[in-house]
Amino acid sequence: MPLEEIEILSPSQIRRTLTRLASQIVEKSGDLSKLVLLGIYTRGVPLAEKLADQIEVLEGVKVAIGALDITFYRDDFDTIGVRTPAKTDIPFDLSGKTVVLVDDVIYKGRTIRAALDAVIDHGRPEVIRLAVLVDRGHREVPIHPDFTGKKLPTAKEERVKVYLQDIDGRDGVELIKG
């Protein structure tokens, strides 16, 4: 059976979704001087950068951005295979900050569980929140995003693929069936 790729978000829809997410983050965060965005490799990092850019447009405030690699915090090495870790880059103290973890897709919740462990190893934030572009359901751990771009109920055999200009040469979100 051939793969069927269905467009879920176009480039313009992604842009509008990120503007909405940035607005929601601003509204819920209060003191923006305490706000930091941590993108989870791979696609969470450019998403965090885009959200920070949008927050600067909306509020005139430059938000600190970091990049989080969770390779050694994962519990699924048997299924993901060998990976070369990226470099965690958190050039600021997390203590007392409002940290928003940013990722492209939340599925089972295990990536975010690993990210929480990684964040705690780098400091003690006042609060940790989660922003995702797509929530496809099927949690295996009790983790729920605070900010969601698109809820997309999926079947377990389906996949969601996020494409970002910085990594893939185009923006888009597709549901892949088959």
Side-chain angles (χ1 to χ4, degrees):
M1 184 170 145
L3 293 181
E4 181 183 3
E5 298 172 354
I6 302 165
E7 183 179 70
I8 302 301
L9 294 175
S10 69
S12 61
Q13 289 171 315
I14 289 176
R15 193 172 44 257
R16 285 192 299 273
T17 299
L18 291 173
T19 299
R20 180 175 45 80
L21 287 172
S23 295
Q24 291 173 348
I25 291 168
V26 165
E27 287 174 20
K28 192 159 185 176
S29 296
D31 182 359
L32 296 182
S33 69
K34 294 170 65 175
L35 176 64
V36 299
L37 303 179
L38 290 182
I40 301 170
Y41 280 108
T42 297
R43 285 169 182 77
V45 174
L47 285 171
E49 292 167 353
K50 290 173 188 291
L51 286 169
D53 290 346
Q54 191 58 41
I55 290 170
E56 188 172 4
V57 167
L58 294 170
E59 298 295 315
V61 175
K62 194 158 186 66
V63 175
I65 309 166
L68 193 62
D69 178 75
I70 60 159
T71 300
F72 296 117
Y73 295 89
R74 297 185 68 105
D75 64 0
D76 59 354
F77 288 115
D78 57 331
T79 58
I80 65 167
V82 177
R83 289 190 174 179
T84 302
K87 183 180 185 302
T88 289
D89 180 21
I90 304 175
F92 40 79
D93 184 11
L94 295 179
S95 300
K97 300 290 188 189
T98 297
V99 172
V100 177
L101 289 171
V102 180
D103 206 6
D104 58 346
V105 178
I106 186 167
Y107 178 38
K108 296 177 180 182
R110 293 185 176 277
T111 296
I112 305 308
R113 192 237 14 108
L116 290 169
D117 289 346
V119 168
I120 297 305
D121 278 354
H122 286 88
R124 189 177 191 292
E126 184 175 311
V127 65
I128 303 172
R129 295 197 170 104
L130 174 60
V132 298
L133 187 60
V134 178
D135 180 351
R136 61 173 289 200
H138 302 285
R139 283 317 170 273
E140 293 178 354
V141 293
I143 292 175
H144 183 78
D146 300 279
F147 312 103
T148 304
K150 174 97 175 153
K151 288 188 180 190
L152 181 66
T154 62
K156 288 189 177 189
E157 64 275 3
E158 295 173 331
R159 291 182 309 143
V160 174
K161 179 69 177 153
V162 174
Y163 298 96
L164 295 176
Q165 186 68 42
D166 302 351
I167 297 168
D168 307 299
R170 68 181 177 110
D171 288 334
V173 176
E174 293 178 351
L175 176 66
I176 301 171
K177 296 181 171 199

PDB file of all heavy atoms in Angstrom, residues 138-175:
ATOM      1  N   HIS A 138      -2.308   9.857  22.231  1.00  0.00           N
ATOM      2  CA  HIS A 138      -1.705   8.548  22.530  1.00  0.00           C
ATOM      3  C   HIS A 138      -0.670   8.595  23.648  1.00  0.00           C
ATOM      4  O   HIS A 138       0.338   7.890  23.601  1.00  0.00           O
ATOM      5  CB  HIS A 138      -1.074   7.916  21.276  1.00  0.00           C
ATOM      6  CG  HIS A 138      -2.016   7.725  20.158  1.00  0.00           C
ATOM      7  ND1 HIS A 138      -2.973   6.733  20.144  1.00  0.00           N
ATOM      8  CD2 HIS A 138      -2.178   8.428  18.998  1.00  0.00           C
ATOM      9  CE1 HIS A 138      -3.670   6.811  19.024  1.00  0.00           C
ATOM     10  NE2 HIS A 138      -3.213   7.831  18.316  1.00  0.00           N
ATOM     11  N   ARG A 139      -0.878   9.401  24.695  1.00  0.00           N
ATOM     12  CA  ARG A 139       0.096   9.515  25.784  1.00  0.00           C
ATOM     13  C   ARG A 139       0.312   8.193  26.508  1.00  0.00           C
ATOM     14  O   ARG A 139      -0.618   7.433  26.729  1.00  0.00           O
ATOM     15  CB  ARG A 139      -0.364  10.507  26.840  1.00  0.00           C
ATOM     16  CG  ARG A 139      -0.248  11.921  26.611  1.00  0.00           C
ATOM     17  CD  ARG A 139       0.954  12.546  26.018  1.00  0.00           C
ATOM     18  NE  ARG A 139       0.505  13.886  25.764  1.00  0.00           N
ATOM     19  CZ  ARG A 139      -0.120  14.255  24.644  1.00  0.00           C
ATOM     20  NH1 ARG A 139      -0.266  13.430  23.658  1.00  0.00           N
ATOM     21  NH2 ARG A 139      -0.561  15.474  24.513  1.00  0.00           N
ATOM     22  N   GLU A 140       1.548   7.991  26.899  1.00  0.00           N
ATOM     23  CA  GLU A 140       1.930   6.872  27.757  1.00  0.00           C
ATOM     24  C   GLU A 140       2.365   7.364  29.134  1.00  0.00           C
ATOM     25  O   GLU A 140       2.561   6.563  30.038  1.00  0.00           O
ATOM     26  CB  GLU A 140       3.062   6.064  27.115  1.00  0.00           C
ATOM     27  CG  GLU A 140       2.615   5.344  25.860  1.00  0.00           C
ATOM     28  CD  GLU A 140       3.738   4.570  25.186  1.00  0.00           C
ATOM     29  OE1 GLU A 140       4.906   4.667  25.623  1.00  0.00           O
ATOM     30  OE2 GLU A 140       3.434   3.877  24.199  1.00  0.00           O
ATOM     31  N   VAL A 141       2.561   8.670  29.268  1.00  0.00           N
ATOM     32  CA  VAL A 141       2.906   9.295  30.549  1.00  0.00           C
ATOM     33  C   VAL A 141       1.997  10.511  30.735  1.00  0.00           C
ATOM     34  O   VAL A 141       1.499  11.080  29.757  1.00  0.00           O
ATOM     35  CB  VAL A 141       4.393   9.701  30.624  1.00  0.00           C
ATOM     36  CG1 VAL A 141       5.300   8.486  30.625  1.00  0.00           C
ATOM     37  CG2 VAL A 141       4.777  10.619  29.479  1.00  0.00           C
ATOM     38  N   PRO A 142       1.741  10.918  31.980  1.00  0.00           N
ATOM     39  CA  PRO A 142       0.779  12.007  32.226  1.00  0.00           C
ATOM     40  C   PRO A 142       1.363  13.399  31.978  1.00  0.00           C
ATOM     41  O   PRO A 142       1.598  14.170  32.899  1.00  0.00           O
ATOM     42  CB  PRO A 142       0.404  11.804  33.697  1.00  0.00           C
ATOM     43  CG  PRO A 142       1.619  11.185  34.303  1.00  0.00           C
ATOM     44  CD  PRO A 142       2.214  10.317  33.234  1.00  0.00           C
ATOM     45  N   ILE A 143       1.592  13.691  30.697  1.00  0.00           N
ATOM     46  CA  ILE A 143       2.146  14.987  30.293  1.00  0.00           C
ATOM     47  C   ILE A 143       1.198  15.594  29.284  1.00  0.00           C
ATOM     48  O   ILE A 143       0.755  14.928  28.346  1.00  0.00           O
ATOM     49  CB  ILE A 143       3.554  14.810  29.700  1.00  0.00           C
ATOM     50  CG1 ILE A 143       4.506  14.378  30.813  1.00  0.00           C
ATOM     51  CG2 ILE A 143       4.028  16.085  29.021  1.00  0.00           C
ATOM     52  CD1 ILE A 143       5.906  14.049  30.360  1.00  0.00           C
ATOM     53  N   HIS A 144       0.902  16.894  29.490  1.00  0.00           N
ATOM     54  CA  HIS A 144      -0.025  17.601  28.613  1.00  0.00           C
ATOM     55  C   HIS A 144       0.564  18.961  28.260  1.00  0.00           C
ATOM     56  O   HIS A 144       1.026  19.666  29.146  1.00  0.00           O
ATOM     57  CB  HIS A 144      -1.372  17.775  29.327  1.00  0.00           C
ATOM     58  CG  HIS A 144      -2.406  18.434  28.481  1.00  0.00           C
ATOM     59  ND1 HIS A 144      -3.091  17.774  27.496  1.00  0.00           N
ATOM     60  CD2 HIS A 144      -2.859  19.704  28.461  1.00  0.00           C
ATOM     61  CE1 HIS A 144      -3.931  18.608  26.914  1.00  0.00           C
ATOM     62  NE2 HIS A 144      -3.804  19.782  27.476  1.00  0.00           N
ATOM     63  N   PRO A 145       0.569  19.354  26.978  1.00  0.00           N
ATOM     64  CA  PRO A 145       1.125  20.662  26.621  1.00  0.00           C
ATOM     65  C   PRO A 145       0.277  21.818  27.163  1.00  0.00           C
ATOM     66  O   PRO A 145      -0.950  21.718  27.226  1.00  0.00           O
ATOM     67  CB  PRO A 145       1.138  20.658  25.098  1.00  0.00           C
ATOM     68  CG  PRO A 145       0.302  19.516  24.669  1.00  0.00           C
ATOM     69  CD  PRO A 145       0.114  18.600  25.828  1.00  0.00           C
ATOM     70  N   ASP A 146       0.946  22.890  27.534  1.00  0.00           N
ATOM     71  CA  ASP A 146       0.266  24.117  27.958  1.00  0.00           C
ATOM     72  C   ASP A 146      -0.176  24.940  26.754  1.00  0.00           C
ATOM     73  O   ASP A 146      -1.160  25.679  26.827  1.00  0.00           O
ATOM     74  CB  ASP A 146       1.208  24.961  28.830  1.00  0.00           C
ATOM     75  CG  ASP A 146       1.634  24.211  30.069  1.00  0.00           C
ATOM     76  OD1 ASP A 146       0.849  24.179  31.027  1.00  0.00           O
ATOM     77  OD2 ASP A 146       2.739  23.627  30.067  1.00  0.00           O
ATOM     78  N   PHE A 147       0.599  24.840  25.668  1.00  0.00           N
ATOM     79  CA  PHE A 147       0.330  25.605  24.450  1.00  0.00           C
ATOM     80  C   PHE A 147       0.402  24.641  23.269  1.00  0.00           C
ATOM     81  O   PHE A 147       1.429  24.012  23.048  1.00  0.00           O
ATOM     82  CB  PHE A 147       1.370  26.720  24.271  1.00  0.00           C
ATOM     83  CG  PHE A 147       1.605  27.530  25.522  1.00  0.00           C
ATOM     84  CD1 PHE A 147       2.736  27.325  26.293  1.00  0.00           C
ATOM     85  CD2 PHE A 147       0.687  28.489  25.934  1.00  0.00           C
ATOM     86  CE1 PHE A 147       2.965  28.058  27.446  1.00  0.00           C
ATOM     87  CE2 PHE A 147       0.900  29.230  27.086  1.00  0.00           C
ATOM     88  CZ  PHE A 147       2.048  29.010  27.843  1.00  0.00           C
ATOM     89  N   THR A 148      -0.697  24.531  22.535  1.00  0.00           N
ATOM     90  CA  THR A 148      -0.781  23.584  21.421  1.00  0.00           C
ATOM     91  C   THR A 148      -1.188  24.312  20.154  1.00  0.00           C
ATOM     92  O   THR A 148      -2.204  25.010  20.133  1.00  0.00           O
ATOM     93  CB  THR A 148      -1.820  22.484  21.727  1.00  0.00           C
ATOM     94  OG1 THR A 148      -1.468  21.845  22.954  1.00  0.00           O
ATOM     95  CG2 THR A 148      -1.883  21.457  20.618  1.00  0.00           C
ATOM     96  N   GLY A 149      -0.404  24.118  19.101  1.00  0.00           N
ATOM     97  CA  GLY A 149      -0.734  24.725  17.817  1.00  0.00           C
ATOM     98  C   GLY A 149      -1.909  24.040  17.147  1.00  0.00           C
ATOM     99  O   GLY A 149      -2.863  24.677  16.730  1.00  0.00           O
ATOM    100  N   LYS A 150      -1.864  22.720  17.071  1.00  0.00           N
ATOM    101  CA  LYS A 150      -2.904  21.946  16.378  1.00  0.00           C
ATOM    102  C   LYS A 150      -3.072  20.604  17.077  1.00  0.00           C
ATOM    103  O   LYS A 150      -2.104  19.880  17.271  1.00  0.00           O
ATOM    104  CB  LYS A 150      -2.482  21.721  14.921  1.00  0.00           C
ATOM    105  CG  LYS A 150      -3.386  20.822  14.114  1.00  0.00           C
ATOM    106  CD  LYS A 150      -4.336  21.615  13.310  1.00  0.00           C
ATOM    107  CE  LYS A 150      -5.175  20.739  12.409  1.00  0.00           C
ATOM    108  NZ  LYS A 150      -6.434  21.354  12.120  1.00  0.00           N
ATOM    109  N   LYS A 151      -4.303  20.292  17.465  1.00  0.00           N
ATOM    110  CA  LYS A 151      -4.613  18.958  17.968  1.00  0.00           C
ATOM    111  C   LYS A 151      -5.001  18.105  16.770  1.00  0.00           C
ATOM    112  O   LYS A 151      -5.866  18.488  15.994  1.00  0.00           O
ATOM    113  CB  LYS A 151      -5.741  19.006  18.987  1.00  0.00           C
ATOM    114  CG  LYS A 151      -5.309  19.610  20.290  1.00  0.00           C
ATOM    115  CD  LYS A 151      -6.361  19.470  21.349  1.00  0.00           C
ATOM    116  CE  LYS A 151      -5.838  20.092  22.619  1.00  0.00           C
ATOM    117  NZ  LYS A 151      -6.653  19.827  23.768  1.00  0.00           N
ATOM    118  N   LEU A 152      -4.339  16.973  16.646  1.00  0.00           N
ATOM    119  CA  LEU A 152      -4.545  16.124  15.479  1.00  0.00           C
ATOM    120  C   LEU A 152      -4.666  14.674  15.926  1.00  0.00           C
ATOM    121  O   LEU A 152      -3.670  13.968  16.056  1.00  0.00           O
ATOM    122  CB  LEU A 152      -3.352  16.287  14.512  1.00  0.00           C
ATOM    123  CG  LEU A 152      -3.418  15.500  13.229  1.00  0.00           C
ATOM    124  CD1 LEU A 152      -4.551  15.989  12.338  1.00  0.00           C
ATOM    125  CD2 LEU A 152      -2.085  15.595  12.498  1.00  0.00           C
ATOM    126  N   PRO A 153      -5.904  14.235  16.207  1.00  0.00           N
ATOM    127  CA  PRO A 153      -6.073  12.825  16.584  1.00  0.00           C
ATOM    128  C   PRO A 153      -5.589  11.925  15.444  1.00  0.00           C
ATOM    129  O   PRO A 153      -5.924  12.149  14.285  1.00  0.00           O
ATOM    130  CB  PRO A 153      -7.581  12.686  16.782  1.00  0.00           C
ATOM    131  CG  PRO A 153      -8.083  14.081  16.990  1.00  0.00           C
ATOM    132  CD  PRO A 153      -7.157  14.966  16.193  1.00  0.00           C
ATOM    133  N   THR A 154      -4.764  10.957  15.796  1.00  0.00           N
ATOM    134  CA  THR A 154      -4.197  10.073  14.780  1.00  0.00           C
ATOM    135  C   THR A 154      -4.375   8.626  15.207  1.00  0.00           C
ATOM    136  O   THR A 154      -4.584   8.328  16.372  1.00  0.00           O
ATOM    137  CB  THR A 154      -2.684  10.333  14.614  1.00  0.00           C
ATOM    138  OG1 THR A 154      -2.029  10.051  15.851  1.00  0.00           O
ATOM    139  CG2 THR A 154      -2.403  11.755  14.167  1.00  0.00           C
ATOM    140  N   ALA A 155      -4.234   7.751  14.230  1.00  0.00           N
ATOM    141  CA  ALA A 155      -4.133   6.325  14.522  1.00  0.00           C
ATOM    142  C   ALA A 155      -2.671   6.035  14.854  1.00  0.00           C
ATOM    143  O   ALA A 155      -1.774   6.744  14.397  1.00  0.00           O
ATOM    144  CB  ALA A 155      -4.575   5.514  13.309  1.00  0.00           C
ATOM    145  N   LYS A 156      -2.436   5.006  15.628  1.00  0.00           N
ATOM    146  CA  LYS A 156      -1.065   4.705  16.047  1.00  0.00           C
ATOM    147  C   LYS A 156      -0.151   4.394  14.866  1.00  0.00           C
ATOM    148  O   LYS A 156       1.035   4.675  14.908  1.00  0.00           O
ATOM    149  CB  LYS A 156      -1.046   3.562  17.057  1.00  0.00           C
ATOM    150  CG  LYS A 156      -1.572   4.002  18.398  1.00  0.00           C
ATOM    151  CD  LYS A 156      -1.355   2.962  19.465  1.00  0.00           C
ATOM    152  CE  LYS A 156      -1.842   3.518  20.788  1.00  0.00           C
ATOM    153  NZ  LYS A 156      -1.485   2.691  21.912  1.00  0.00           N
ATOM    154  N   GLU A 157      -0.696   3.838  13.809  1.00  0.00           N
ATOM    155  CA  GLU A 157       0.153   3.496  12.661  1.00  0.00           C
ATOM    156  C   GLU A 157       0.432   4.698  11.748  1.00  0.00           C
ATOM    157  O   GLU A 157       1.257   4.612  10.853  1.00  0.00           O
ATOM    158  CB  GLU A 157      -0.454   2.345  11.852  1.00  0.00           C
ATOM    159  CG  GLU A 157      -1.775   2.648  11.192  1.00  0.00           C
ATOM    160  CD  GLU A 157      -2.991   2.438  12.099  1.00  0.00           C
ATOM    161  OE1 GLU A 157      -2.833   2.098  13.286  1.00  0.00           O
ATOM    162  OE2 GLU A 157      -4.108   2.636  11.601  1.00  0.00           O
ATOM    163  N   GLU A 158      -0.234   5.793  11.976  1.00  0.00           N
ATOM    164  CA  GLU A 158       0.019   7.009  11.199  1.00  0.00           C
ATOM    165  C   GLU A 158       1.214   7.765  11.792  1.00  0.00           C
ATOM    166  O   GLU A 158       1.586   7.547  12.939  1.00  0.00           O
ATOM    167  CB  GLU A 158      -1.221   7.915  11.208  1.00  0.00           C
ATOM    168  CG  GLU A 158      -2.399   7.280  10.511  1.00  0.00           C
ATOM    169  CD  GLU A 158      -3.686   8.079  10.652  1.00  0.00           C
ATOM    170  OE1 GLU A 158      -3.850   8.785  11.667  1.00  0.00           O
ATOM    171  OE2 GLU A 158      -4.528   7.977   9.747  1.00  0.00           O
ATOM    172  N   ARG A 159       1.789   8.637  10.982  1.00  0.00           N
ATOM    173  CA  ARG A 159       2.897   9.481  11.449  1.00  0.00           C
ATOM    174  C   ARG A 159       2.574  10.932  11.136  1.00  0.00           C
ATOM    175  O   ARG A 159       1.811  11.217  10.206  1.00  0.00           O
ATOM    176  CB  ARG A 159       4.203   9.089  10.748  1.00  0.00           C
ATOM    177  CG  ARG A 159       4.728   7.729  11.150  1.00  0.00           C
ATOM    178  CD  ARG A 159       6.042   7.398  10.478  1.00  0.00           C
ATOM    179  NE  ARG A 159       5.949   7.610   9.041  1.00  0.00           N
ATOM    180  CZ  ARG A 159       6.927   8.091   8.277  1.00  0.00           C
ATOM    181  NH1 ARG A 159       8.079   8.389   8.781  1.00  0.00           N
ATOM    182  NH2 ARG A 159       6.750   8.248   6.984  1.00  0.00           N
ATOM    183  N   VAL A 160       3.167  11.818  11.905  1.00  0.00           N
ATOM    184  CA  VAL A 160       3.066  13.252  11.639  1.00  0.00           C
ATOM    185  C   VAL A 160       4.471  13.731  11.348  1.00  0.00           C
ATOM    186  O   VAL A 160       5.402  13.481  12.114  1.00  0.00           O
ATOM    187  CB  VAL A 160       2.476  14.012  12.845  1.00  0.00           C
ATOM    188  CG1 VAL A 160       2.528  15.512  12.607  1.00  0.00           C
ATOM    189  CG2 VAL A 160       1.049  13.561  13.106  1.00  0.00           C
ATOM    190  N   LYS A 161       4.655  14.403  10.233  1.00  0.00           N
ATOM    191  CA  LYS A 161       5.968  14.896   9.831  1.00  0.00           C
ATOM    192  C   LYS A 161       5.913  16.421   9.749  1.00  0.00           C
ATOM    193  O   LYS A 161       5.070  16.980   9.050  1.00  0.00           O
ATOM    194  CB  LYS A 161       6.355  14.299   8.475  1.00  0.00           C
ATOM    195  CG  LYS A 161       7.679  14.766   7.945  1.00  0.00           C
ATOM    196  CD  LYS A 161       8.838  14.235   8.753  1.00  0.00           C
ATOM    197  CE  LYS A 161      10.143  14.683   8.123  1.00  0.00           C
ATOM    198  NZ  LYS A 161      11.230  14.800   9.029  1.00  0.00           N
ATOM    199  N   VAL A 162       6.804  17.060  10.501  1.00  0.00           N
ATOM    200  CA  VAL A 162       6.925  18.512  10.477  1.00  0.00           C
ATOM    201  C   VAL A 162       8.135  18.865   9.634  1.00  0.00           C
ATOM    202  O   VAL A 162       9.221  18.307   9.827  1.00  0.00           O
ATOM    203  CB  VAL A 162       7.080  19.083  11.910  1.00  0.00           C
ATOM    204  CG1 VAL A 162       7.351  20.577  11.872  1.00  0.00           C
ATOM    205  CG2 VAL A 162       5.826  18.784  12.731  1.00  0.00           C
ATOM    206  N   TYR A 163       7.943  19.770   8.702  1.00  0.00           N
ATOM    207  CA  TYR A 163       9.023  20.277   7.869  1.00  0.00           C
ATOM    208  C   TYR A 163       9.245  21.740   8.228  1.00  0.00           C
ATOM    209  O   TYR A 163       8.279  22.514   8.284  1.00  0.00           O
ATOM    210  CB  TYR A 163       8.657  20.179   6.381  1.00  0.00           C
ATOM    211  CG  TYR A 163       8.425  18.767   5.906  1.00  0.00           C
ATOM    212  CD1 TYR A 163       7.137  18.245   5.852  1.00  0.00           C
ATOM    213  CD2 TYR A 163       9.484  17.956   5.518  1.00  0.00           C
ATOM    214  CE1 TYR A 163       6.915  16.939   5.425  1.00  0.00           C
ATOM    215  CE2 TYR A 163       9.272  16.649   5.093  1.00  0.00           C
ATOM    216  CZ  TYR A 163       7.985  16.151   5.044  1.00  0.00           C
ATOM    217  OH  TYR A 163       7.766  14.867   4.625  1.00  0.00           O
ATOM    218  N   LEU A 164      10.512  22.091   8.474  1.00  0.00           N
ATOM    219  CA  LEU A 164      10.847  23.486   8.775  1.00  0.00           C
ATOM    220  C   LEU A 164      11.923  23.964   7.818  1.00  0.00           C
ATOM    221  O   LEU A 164      12.893  23.245   7.536  1.00  0.00           O
ATOM    222  CB  LEU A 164      11.320  23.622  10.221  1.00  0.00           C
ATOM    223  CG  LEU A 164      10.267  23.305  11.281  1.00  0.00           C
ATOM    224  CD1 LEU A 164      10.869  23.365  12.672  1.00  0.00           C
ATOM    225  CD2 LEU A 164       9.083  24.256  11.164  1.00  0.00           C
ATOM    226  N   GLN A 165      11.760  25.175   7.346  1.00  0.00           N
ATOM    227  CA  GLN A 165      12.654  25.779   6.368  1.00  0.00           C
ATOM    228  C   GLN A 165      14.121  25.619   6.764  1.00  0.00           C
ATOM    229  O   GLN A 165      14.947  25.241   5.940  1.00  0.00           O
ATOM    230  CB  GLN A 165      12.300  27.268   6.203  1.00  0.00           C
ATOM    231  CG  GLN A 165      13.077  27.973   5.112  1.00  0.00           C
ATOM    232  CD  GLN A 165      12.710  27.503   3.729  1.00  0.00           C
ATOM    233  OE1 GLN A 165      11.547  27.296   3.430  1.00  0.00           O
ATOM    234  NE2 GLN A 165      13.687  27.319   2.874  1.00  0.00           N
ATOM    235  N   ASP A 166      14.441  25.895   8.025  1.00  0.00           N
ATOM    236  CA  ASP A 166      15.831  25.873   8.490  1.00  0.00           C
ATOM    237  C   ASP A 166      16.482  24.494   8.356  1.00  0.00           C
ATOM    238  O   ASP A 166      17.693  24.388   8.199  1.00  0.00           O
ATOM    239  CB  ASP A 166      15.919  26.293   9.965  1.00  0.00           C
ATOM    240  CG  ASP A 166      15.345  27.674  10.206  1.00  0.00           C
ATOM    241  OD1 ASP A 166      15.037  28.386   9.232  1.00  0.00           O
ATOM    242  OD2 ASP A 166      15.198  28.045  11.386  1.00  0.00           O
ATOM    243  N   ILE A 167      15.682  23.441   8.422  1.00  0.00           N
ATOM    244  CA  ILE A 167      16.218  22.076   8.405  1.00  0.00           C
ATOM    245  C   ILE A 167      15.881  21.362   7.107  1.00  0.00           C
ATOM    246  O   ILE A 167      16.728  20.675   6.532  1.00  0.00           O
ATOM    247  CB  ILE A 167      15.654  21.266   9.598  1.00  0.00           C
ATOM    248  CG1 ILE A 167      16.127  21.902  10.903  1.00  0.00           C
ATOM    249  CG2 ILE A 167      16.060  19.805   9.522  1.00  0.00           C
ATOM    250  CD1 ILE A 167      15.417  21.369  12.120  1.00  0.00           C
ATOM    251  N   ASP A 168      14.637  21.538   6.647  1.00  0.00           N
ATOM    252  CA  ASP A 168      14.125  20.744   5.532  1.00  0.00           C
ATOM    253  C   ASP A 168      13.977  21.511   4.226  1.00  0.00           C
ATOM    254  O   ASP A 168      13.591  20.933   3.220  1.00  0.00           O
ATOM    255  CB  ASP A 168      12.752  20.165   5.915  1.00  0.00           C
ATOM    256  CG  ASP A 168      12.796  19.421   7.227  1.00  0.00           C
ATOM    257  OD1 ASP A 168      13.540  18.418   7.320  1.00  0.00           O
ATOM    258  OD2 ASP A 168      12.115  19.839   8.174  1.00  0.00           O
ATOM    259  N   GLY A 169      14.197  22.810   4.260  1.00  0.00           N
ATOM    260  CA  GLY A 169      14.070  23.617   3.048  1.00  0.00           C
ATOM    261  C   GLY A 169      12.647  24.019   2.712  1.00  0.00           C
ATOM    262  O   GLY A 169      12.387  24.621   1.676  1.00  0.00           O
ATOM    263  N   ARG A 170      11.711  23.700   3.595  1.00  0.00           N
ATOM    264  CA  ARG A 170      10.312  24.109   3.402  1.00  0.00           C
ATOM    265  C   ARG A 170       9.589  24.002   4.727  1.00  0.00           C
ATOM    266  O   ARG A 170      10.037  23.309   5.641  1.00  0.00           O
ATOM    267  CB  ARG A 170       9.625  23.253   2.357  1.00  0.00           C
ATOM    268  CG  ARG A 170       9.410  21.789   2.781  1.00  0.00           C
ATOM    269  CD  ARG A 170       8.728  20.998   1.662  1.00  0.00           C
ATOM    270  NE  ARG A 170       8.567  19.599   1.983  1.00  0.00           N
ATOM    271  CZ  ARG A 170       7.394  19.030   2.225  1.00  0.00           C
ATOM    272  NH1 ARG A 170       6.286  19.734   2.191  1.00  0.00           N
ATOM    273  NH2 ARG A 170       7.313  17.736   2.480  1.00  0.00           N
ATOM    274  N   ASP A 171       8.464  24.712   4.830  1.00  0.00           N
ATOM    275  CA  ASP A 171       7.610  24.638   6.011  1.00  0.00           C
ATOM    276  C   ASP A 171       6.360  23.857   5.663  1.00  0.00           C
ATOM    277  O   ASP A 171       5.791  24.015   4.580  1.00  0.00           O
ATOM    278  CB  ASP A 171       7.193  26.049   6.472  1.00  0.00           C
ATOM    279  CG  ASP A 171       8.330  26.817   7.114  1.00  0.00           C
ATOM    280  OD1 ASP A 171       9.259  26.190   7.665  1.00  0.00           O
ATOM    281  OD2 ASP A 171       8.289  28.063   7.091  1.00  0.00           O
ATOM    282  N   GLY A 172       5.915  23.023   6.593  1.00  0.00           N
ATOM    283  CA  GLY A 172       4.678  22.281   6.404  1.00  0.00           C
ATOM    284  C   GLY A 172       4.536  21.206   7.459  1.00  0.00           C
ATOM    285  O   GLY A 172       5.508  20.824   8.118  1.00  0.00           O
ATOM    286  N   VAL A 173       3.315  20.725   7.625  1.00  0.00           N
ATOM    287  CA  VAL A 173       3.042  19.581   8.491  1.00  0.00           C
ATOM    288  C   VAL A 173       2.179  18.633   7.689  1.00  0.00           C
ATOM    289  O   VAL A 173       1.176  19.040   7.091  1.00  0.00           O
ATOM    290  CB  VAL A 173       2.314  19.993   9.796  1.00  0.00           C
ATOM    291  CG1 VAL A 173       1.953  18.752  10.619  1.00  0.00           C
ATOM    292  CG2 VAL A 173       3.158  20.956  10.612  1.00  0.00           C
ATOM    293  N   GLU A 174       2.589  17.359   7.669  1.00  0.00           N
ATOM    294  CA  GLU A 174       1.850  16.343   6.927  1.00  0.00           C
ATOM    295  C   GLU A 174       1.505  15.156   7.826  1.00  0.00           C
ATOM    296  O   GLU A 174       2.281  14.787   8.700  1.00  0.00           O
ATOM    297  CB  GLU A 174       2.696  15.821   5.754  1.00  0.00           C
ATOM    298  CG  GLU A 174       2.944  16.857   4.687  1.00  0.00           C
ATOM    299  CD  GLU A 174       3.825  16.332   3.564  1.00  0.00           C
ATOM    300  OE1 GLU A 174       4.395  15.216   3.688  1.00  0.00           O
ATOM    301  OE2 GLU A 174       3.940  17.040   2.550  1.00  0.00           O
ATOM    302  N   LEU A 175       0.338  14.592   7.561  1.00  0.00           N
ATOM    303  CA  LEU A 175      -0.060  13.331   8.156  1.00  0.00           C
ATOM    304  C   LEU A 175       0.273  12.252   7.137  1.00  0.00           C
ATOM    305  O   LEU A 175      -0.110  12.360   5.978  1.00  0.00           O
ATOM    306  CB  LEU A 175      -1.568  13.320   8.476  1.00  0.00           C
ATOM    307  CG  LEU A 175      -2.124  12.011   9.017  1.00  0.00           C
ATOM    308  CD1 LEU A 175      -1.528  11.713  10.394  1.00  0.00           C
ATOM    309  CD2 LEU A 175      -3.638  12.075   9.093  1.00  0.00           C
TER     310      LEU A 175
END
